Amino acid sequence: MTAHAHADEQLRQLAVASGVLTAEAGAAGGMETGRVLELLAGRFHLGVVDLSQVRVAPEVLRLVPRELAARHRLLPFARDGETLRVALGDPWDTDGTDSLAHLLGLSIEPVLAAPSDILRAIDQFYGKKAGQPDELRVPPSAAVLQSADPVKPTAADADAPIIKLVHGIIVEAVQRRASAIHLEPLERRLRIRYRIDGVLQETENPPKRLQLAIISRLKIMANISIAEKRLPQDGRIQISVGGRPLDLRVSSLPTAHGESIVMRILDQENLKLGLSEMGLLEDDRVTLERLITLPDGILLVTGPTGSGKTTTLYACLHHINQPNRKIITVEDPVEYQLNGINQVPVRQEVGMTFASALRAMLRQSPNVVMVGEIRDLETAEIAINASLTGHMVFSTLHTNDAPGAVTRLIDLGTKPYLVSTSFRGVMAQRLVRRICPTCSRQHEPTAQELHLLTIDPALAVGANFRRGAGCPDCRGTGYFGRMGIFEIFTASDVIRGMIHAGATAAQLREKARAEGMRTMREDGVRKIIAGLTTVEEVVSITVADAN
């Protein structure tokens, strides 16, 4: 052992002997305890705080769950911008501060205090513990969750800790506006993460020993086999949280350390979004409304998985859903139930593919048809032929930009002259996070930020650049909710001729831009200048435009 390590060990033994590292720190005498704290502070270059003189703001307490604070004997007591000051009882125990830094995305500034003072302060500011074990945290509102699954808890097990814990995880996810819950078995822990505004955020993890019980409970709720642990399974949980009906699409996947569970949260409230709420600015909204009210043709929405394509199509259907129109959709699966619209689920096991369902739907004399996704030549040809025989067809494709959707259809094997005749427009989209309205502040962009997006400094003078400072509403992220950025490619006579002649995606893009098409990055810049999102968000999901 080195001299430095030996001195450390001696100091630790002194701290243990004096009671500083236990909940009974004051038992050895105030002078001795204070002296040991000073020695520890000097060794670790930390400050010492007297918690009896501290008043903690509620918004600071809300950042850290009481259970995490009690477990690691720490207390958040002040926040300065991106730095959270935390009273720590044991300077050798860094797990708590590391967890906070990872959970909140903030810089943690630890200071020392006696553990007994910290526990008293936790009871003072958070309130006395109500008898619930720390490891089974359940939000108080968990009682409002009602399960609609076929396996309901009986009176005897209604208070079972695992049931409460699982329901608490779901309720917390809904309260934090999560779109998905990820339960990931790792070697030494069960990690729980919520996808909030498109970004995964880790929450407090339950003990590893509860992993099997938690996963089994979720599989029972989703009506999937708890005996099958070798194959992936899919299920569905229907619940109500605070009177809001929710669908949870559950996917299990065997991994090296247990089954990984992902639950997508489908909220019917999302169906009430209008085109403006999606983030379309006025000129783009007018263009899209014109396209979706055309009597025939094909309109495509493109983007990667998770870019909001389905939500956009539902918003379009909601906009045109009138008693004088018959609308039929074919989806895999049907994610939301839409009033007044006939929705057909794909069922591969009985031969109900996109193509066969679409072929049958056309015999139902619809005005508007939505195909969840064009995946193959057969589906593409039927959709295009439907658009040529008096139907308006909506669908999605996976392409990086709008003009690329046209060449993608041709690459599938569709004849260029059929595409050119039926094509009405393509809208490519991505999702960016909105600046939190509660903590939004004026922001002076740097020269580098302006250069990244090639924003003219003269244009930036009158712009409304903003940034979120971080607050309890957005949990310190500076963002609250998401919006789309769009690229709308419409068909002029010249572009139809180029498609017929076999033009490349690059040629179509160049001509569309000459005719006034705005790229996704340009639309993102408009929203940055309007103070709706930030440079980092737009740069992270769009590519620079060619000069």
Side-chain angles (χ1 to χ4, degrees):
M1 181 182 294
T2 66
H4 186 75
H6 183 68
D8 253 9
E9 182 59 27
Q10 283 187 320
L11 182 57
R12 185 177 180 88
Q13 289 176 6
L14 175 62
V16 171
S18 66
V20 169
L21 298 186
T22 70
E24 295 78 29
M31 290 295 293
E32 187 178 354
T33 299
R35 177 59 182 153
V36 174
L37 283 175
E38 289 178 8
L39 290 173
L40 290 173
R43 162 65 185 85
F44 289 95
H45 307 289
L46 300 176
V48 178
V49 62
D50 182 359
L51 293 178
S52 66
Q53 304 300 315
V54 168
R55 293 293 176 267
V56 186
E59 58 267 22
V60 173
L61 291 173
R62 281 197 291 266
L63 292 174
V64 181
R66 183 197 194 283
E67 292 76 16
L68 189 149
R71 183 176 304 154
H72 294 285
R73 290 181 184 168
L74 54 81
L75 179 76
F77 63 92
R79 178 176 178 177
D80 182 10
E82 296 300 304
T83 300
L84 182 66
R85 301 192 71 202
V86 175
L88 186 68
D90 184 351
W92 283 278
D93 180 10
T94 59
D95 288 348
T97 52
D98 289 347
S99 295
L100 281 185
H102 188 71
L103 177 63
L104 302 177
L106 298 176
S107 174
I108 305 299
E109 180 186 328
V111 296
L112 286 179
S116 57
D117 293 344
I118 291 175
L119 292 180
R120 277 194 295 268
I122 288 173
D123 284 342
Q124 175 187 349
F125 294 114
Y126 283 98
K128 290 286 186 181
K129 189 164 57 175
Q132 177 72 23
D134 286 343
E135 61 197 33
L136 298 184
R137 73 179 151 72
V138 182
S141 56
V144 302
L145 183 146
Q146 299 171 344
S147 175
D149 64 82
V151 182
K152 299 183 184 296
T154 65
D157 66 6
D159 294 327
I162 292 299
I163 294 176
K164 283 188 173 182
L165 174 58
V166 169
H167 283 202
I169 290 169
I170 295 172
V171 171
E172 184 180 356
V174 173
Q175 290 174 339
R176 292 175 61 175
R177 304 179 296 104
S179 60
I181 306 170
H182 294 247
L183 289 87
E184 301 162 315
L186 305 179
E187 183 177 4
R188 299 182 183 276
R189 62 192 178 109
L190 174 63
R191 180 169 66 180
I192 298 180
R193 296 193 286 178
Y194 299 140
R195 189 174 292 280
I196 303 171
D197 296 334
V199 178
L200 283 171
Q201 298 182 16
E202 188 167 349
T203 188
E204 188 183 359
N205 301 321
K208 176 73 172 177
R209 60 185 173 80
L210 299 179
Q211 173 180 310
L212 184 59
I214 291 171
I215 291 175
S216 295
R217 173 59 189 166
L218 286 170
K219 292 173 73 174
I220 289 171
M221 292 175 69
N223 199 27
I224 58 181
S225 172
I226 61 173
E228 180 56 75
K229 297 180 174 64
R230 300 167 299 171
L231 297 174
Q233 297 185 83
D234 295 311
R236 176 181 178 185
I237 300 173
Q238 292 180 296
I239 59 173
S240 175
V241 177
R244 290 166 55 192
L246 299 173
D247 264 1
L248 273 62
R249 296 298 165 86
V250 181
S251 169
S252 74
L253 179 69
T255 69
H257 302 293
E259 289 179 278
S260 173
I261 299 285
V262 174
M263 294 179 281
R264 287 184 58 214
I265 302 173
L266 305 179
D267 189 350
Q268 295 287 340
E269 294 293 319
N270 291 337
L271 297 184
K272 299 178 182 178
L273 291 178
L275 297 179
S276 298
E277 285 82 3
M278 292 164 44
L280 285 160
L281 298 181
E282 184 63 21
D283 53 350
D284 284 343
R285 183 185 62 79
V286 170
T287 300
L288 183 60
E289 286 182 355
R290 178 181 63 82
L291 290 173
I292 64 179
T293 53
L294 291 173
D296 57 30
I298 188 165
L299 172 67
L300 300 172
V301 179
T302 75
T305 301
S307 61
K309 299 187 299 296
T310 301
T311 301
T312 295
L313 286 178
Y314 280 148
C316 292
L317 293 178
H318 181 72
H319 183 80
I320 64 173
N321 187 15
Q322 302 293 333
N324 61 346
R325 283 196 182 100
K326 179 162 184 174
I327 302 173
I328 307 181
T329 74
V330 54
E331 305 168 61
D332 183 20
V334 174
E335 294 192 350
Y336 298 100
Q337 300 291 331
L338 299 173
N339 289 329
I341 293 177
N342 302 277
Q343 296 173 268
V344 179
V346 167
R347 295 184 178 178
Q348 300 280 357
E349 67 275 10
V350 296
M352 179 68 91
T353 63
F354 274 115
S356 60
L358 181 55
R359 192 179 292 109
M361 285 159 49
L362 296 178
R363 293 193 287 270
Q364 297 282 312
S365 187
N367 300 106
V368 179
V369 171
M370 187 191 95
V371 183
E373 183 182 351
I374 294 178
R375 300 177 178 175
D376 51 43
L377 174 60
E378 185 181 12
T379 306
E381 287 183 335
I382 297 171
I384 287 175
N385 286 329
S387 71
L388 293 174
T389 54
H391 306 86
M392 187 66 200
V393 179
F394 298 157
S395 192
T396 69
L397 275 177
H398 290 281
T399 61
N400 291 328
D401 60 6
V406 173
T407 53
R408 171 68 177 148
L409 285 176
I410 295 172
D411 289 342
L412 286 174
T414 310
K415 300 293 189 293
Y417 74 89
L418 291 176
V419 176
S420 66
T421 307
S422 62
F423 172 64
R424 296 292 179 267
V426 182
M427 185 169 76
Q429 68 179 65
R430 302 288 189 277
L431 294 177
V432 295
R433 291 183 289 176
R434 291 180 183 266
I435 296 171
C436 175
T438 304
C439 60
S440 176
R441 302 287 185 271
Q442 287 285 345
H443 170 64
E444 186 67 30
T446 64
Q448 182 182 10
E449 288 175 330
L450 296 178
H451 175 71
L452 278 172
L453 295 175
T454 61
I455 298 176
D456 186 349
L459 181 62
V461 172
N464 182 28
F465 290 96
R466 303 189 73 82
R467 185 178 296 275
C471 67
D473 286 354
C474 62
R475 299 184 67 85
T477 64
Y479 298 98
F480 191 95
R482 289 193 289 176
M483 66 189 301
I485 57 174
F486 305 96
E487 177 177 287
I488 301 180
F489 174 45
T490 57
S492 66
D493 290 339
V494 174
I495 285 177
R496 285 197 182 93
M498 293 176 65
I499 295 171
H500 194 171
T504 65
Q507 292 169 333
L508 292 173
R509 184 177 185 81
E510 181 180 358
K511 182 59 181 175
R513 293 197 67 186
E515 292 184 353
M517 184 188 78
R518 188 180 298 108
T519 66
M520 278 184 286
R521 174 156 286 196
E522 289 169 340
D523 190 42
V525 169
R526 290 202 302 169
K527 287 160 185 173
I528 292 170
I529 291 174
L532 300 175
T533 189
T534 62
V535 172
E536 293 86 352
E537 282 295 295
V538 174
V539 169
S540 68
I541 62 165
T542 61
V543 295
D545 298 322
N547 293 327

